Amino acid sequence: MLDNIKKKAVALGYNKAKDNAPKVIASGKGEVANNILRLAEQYDIPIKHDPDLIEVLSKVEINQEIPPNLYKAVAEIFSFLYKITKQK
């Protein structure tokens, strides 16, 4: 139970036609984090575990673009996701 409370998850989205940068589209801890992860698995969305980045991204408001100081870290995640998706 305590472990569940500590769990956090952040979902990012990016629409290159509309967005200047990726946005936080969902964020939460505990059961909300479990729901985010469950939906990602249900829709075969790759999951990247990075507790430090999640901690920083969880402070960004939902539907807000990530701040420029996080571009490099998020670009690395998108690169990771691209490689995983390409392998499938």
Side-chain angles (χ1 to χ4, degrees), residues 14-57:
Y14 179 65
N15 180 335
K16 68 179 181 178
K18 296 189 327 184
D19 302 331
N20 294 318
K23 291 182 178 181
V24 171
I25 58 172
S27 179
K29 59 185 178 181
E31 192 55 37
V32 173
N34 286 334
N35 287 337
I36 292 168
L37 295 170
R38 211 175 358 259
L39 284 168
E41 290 173 356
Q42 180 181 346
Y43 289 95
D44 201 28
I45 297 169
I47 298 169
K48 171 81 167 130
H49 299 278
D50 187 332
D52 294 332
L53 186 56
I54 289 171
E55 192 63 38
V56 175
L57 287 172

